Amino acid sequence: AKLLENTFRQVNIALMNQLVPFCRSLGIDVREVVEAAGSKPYGFMKFYPGAGVGGHCIPIDPLYLLWRSRQLGIDFPFVESADKTNRDMPKYVANRLIDLAGLKSGDKALILGVAYKSGISDVRETPAHDVATHLVSQGVEVYWSDPLVSEFESVKKWEPSVSVKGAIVVTAQPELEVESVAGSGVPVLDCTGAYKGIKGVSQL
C-alpha cells in the first residue's frame, strides 16, 4: 500500500512536469491549468510541477516496484517513464535558469530553498543537489540559501555580500530572500509558484 501511494504521487507529479515545456511553448501558465482543472468537484486531484521530487519516499519507493516487477518479467512503463521525467527536471530547470539569466562559465548563481519540501530542513534526495550539479557542470559557481537548512554539502552557502547573476527557487521556505534578490535586479526562476507576481521573478 505504501509503495502504491508513493508511486501514485510519482506518476501524477511526472504528468504535471511533462506539461511544463508543452504549456510554456503555448504561453500557458501550467499552474493556472491545474487550478482550473481542480475546480471540478470530483475526479481530479491537484498535483503541481516543480524542480523534481525529493525525500525518502517518492523518488525511491517506486523503484522497489520496478525492481520486483523486473524479477517477475512484468513491465511497469508508467513507473519507468515517471521516474525518468522527474529525474530529468533538475537539468531542465537549471537550463531554464541559464537561459533566463544568460549564465556563462564563471558566473555565479544562487539556489534558494534546498530542502526537499517546504517547511522542513531535510535535504535527502533533494532536487536542489542535481540542479547544482548541472549548473556546476556548465562552469557556473553555485551558492545556496535556505533559512531552515544548516548544512548542504553540494555547494557554498550564500552570503548577501556575494553578487550573483541568476537565482532559482527550488523549494519555497519561510523568510526566503526571493523579493530582496529579485529587487536587486537578479533574474529569479520560481519552480514553486509561491512567488508569482513579484517583479523580476519568472515562473516555471
Side-chain angles (χ1 to χ4, degrees), residues 132-147:
T133 297
H134 183 67
L135 290 171
V136 169
S137 75
Q138 302 304 302
V140 177
E141 188 176 348
V142 181
Y143 293 80
W144 68 274
S145 179
D146 190 316

Side-chain angles (χ1 to χ4, degrees), residues 86-98:
N86 291 334
R87 289 184 188 277
D88 285 347
M89 282 305 289
K91 182 177 179 180
Y92 172 82
V93 300
N95 284 334
R96 283 278 304 275
L97 177 63
I98 288 171

Side-chain angles (χ1 to χ4, degrees), residues 107-174:
D107 288 338
K108 295 180 175 66
L110 172 63
I111 298 177
L112 293 162
V114 297
Y116 80 81
K117 69 177 180 179
S118 299
I120 65 170
S121 60
D122 197 337
V123 296
R124 284 179 293 178
E125 303 294 324
T126 175
H129 172 76
D130 289 336
V131 171
T133 297
H134 183 67
L135 290 171
V136 169
S137 75
Q138 302 304 302
V140 177
E141 188 176 348
V142 181
Y143 293 80
W144 68 274
S145 179
D146 190 316
L148 299 186
V149 175
S150 57
E151 290 187 19
F152 183 60
E153 297 179 357
S154 297
V155 287
K156 303 172 188 175
K157 190 169 184 178
W158 180 67
E159 299 293 340
S161 59
V162 176
S163 297
V164 296
K165 190 174 179 182
I168 182 169
V169 183
V170 170
T171 305
Q173 294 281 45

Side-chain angles (χ1 to χ4, degrees), residues 66-77:
L66 285 179
W67 168 74
R68 186 62 174 137
S69 70
R70 286 164 180 163
Q71 286 185 328
L72 299 171
I74 297 170
D75 290 334
F76 260 149

